[in-house]
Amino acid sequence: MVSETAQAPAHREARQTSSVGAAVIAGVMGCVLLGLGVPSLVTAVRTLDARGVIWATYTGAAVPEKARLDAIADLGVLQRWGRDGELEGDAGLLLLRAGQAAPTDAEREERFAASAAAFGAALAVAPGQPNAWANLAYLHLHKGDTAAAVAALRMSMLSGSFVPALMASRIELGLRLLPVMDPETVGLLQRQIRLTWTLDPDFVAKLSARPGLAPLVRDAMDGLSEAEMAQYVRRHGGQK
């Protein structure tokens, strides 16, 4: 029989080994968590200024060219830390606006190409971004690729049918693509007209008054559902 005196050193050695093992595991976990946290910290710091520019761009406020280009550069640096679909989409928007403001045709096309690439990268990571799809549709149309423009516009309407800030511009884009649009996408465009009517009936009334568009609007409104009518009543109190 082993005495308690003989067992004590063995117990102490076991406890010490266990403590060392726990410390090693804790150290490894700490390094892992630190590594996971660094990209988020860097992203938060580097996007402080850029996010102000992004917000101003989304709201339609005037943005100085230097501030826009600085924000694009900041977002580009963040790509080293991994892909973020939302930030890629924001970069695409800033590049699009920079292209629209470019002083020369060459600069405009260069920035538009970079914008399309950014939107493509954004949608590869996070495909459910109706704004990114709509802007990509615009860029495809600018290049004359109407088939790709229709496909991107269709994805925009499918990924977010009710986006108040986007709906009127999607309808305008859809009208430009209407001659080459397939029946299914025409149906999505007509639904967009109905949903816009629940939000802004004056816009749809003016749309109907445009030359040649009355039949499209009439067919769209013929498909009005009870849910869409209820949305209109909630927003406008039943006024027609």
Side-chain angles (χ1 to χ4, degrees):
M1 181 175 180
V2 180
S3 68
E4 292 182 3
T5 303
Q7 289 178 346
H11 287 170
R12 284 197 298 272
E13 182 179 348
R15 284 198 299 271
Q16 291 172 351
T17 301
S18 177
S19 298
V20 171
V24 170
I25 292 173
V28 171
M29 290 300 296
C31 291
V32 170
L33 292 174
L34 179 61
L36 292 174
V38 166
S40 298
L41 178 61
V42 171
T43 298
V45 171
R46 291 304 299 262
T47 57
L48 284 177
D49 292 334
R51 286 191 185 280
V53 175
I54 292 165
W55 176 251
T57 301
Y58 274 112
T59 59
V63 176
E65 181 70 359
K66 184 181 185 306
R68 182 187 292 117
L69 295 179
D70 286 346
I72 291 170
D74 284 345
L75 294 178
V77 169
L78 295 177
Q79 293 178 12
R80 301 175 189 173
W81 299 95
R83 293 297 183 185
D84 182 306
E86 181 180 346
L87 290 179
E88 293 274 11
D90 292 338
L93 177 63
L94 294 181
L95 285 162
L96 174 59
R97 295 291 180 261
Q100 290 170 332
T104 67
D105 291 346
E107 287 179 280
R108 182 187 66 233
E109 296 308 318
E110 181 181 356
R111 291 172 182 179
F112 276 3
S115 175
F119 284 130
L123 293 167
V125 176
Q129 299 187 68
N131 281 283
W133 283 115
N135 286 320
L136 192 58
Y138 168 84
L139 291 168
H140 284 317
L141 180 58
H142 173 76
K143 288 184 358 184
D145 191 346
T146 55
V150 168
L153 180 61
R154 180 173 179 272
M155 287 300 299
S156 177
M157 292 186 288
L158 287 173
S159 60
S161 60
F162 193 84
V163 184
L166 187 59
M167 290 155 71
S169 62
R170 280 197 300 210
I171 290 173
E172 297 292 354
L173 184 58
L175 294 177
R176 296 174 63 186
L177 292 167
L178 195 58
V180 294
M181 197 175 282
D182 59 277
E184 182 181 354
T185 308
V186 171
L188 291 173
L189 179 63
Q190 289 175 327
R191 180 170 184 247
Q192 193 74 178
I193 291 171
R194 291 195 300 272
L195 290 172
T196 302
W197 175 78
T198 70
L199 186 68
D200 187 356
D202 289 341
F203 173 85
V204 176
K206 293 175 182 177
L207 194 68
S208 180
R210 294 189 197 177
L213 292 185
L216 175 71
V217 176
R218 182 175 59 249
D219 289 346
M221 298 306 294
D222 284 346
L224 194 66
S225 69
E226 291 184 6
E228 290 162 347
M229 188 64 195
Q231 288 180 20
Y232 175 89
V233 172
R234 282 197 299 271
R235 293 189 178 99
H236 305 285
Q239 298 177 3
K240 295 185 179 180

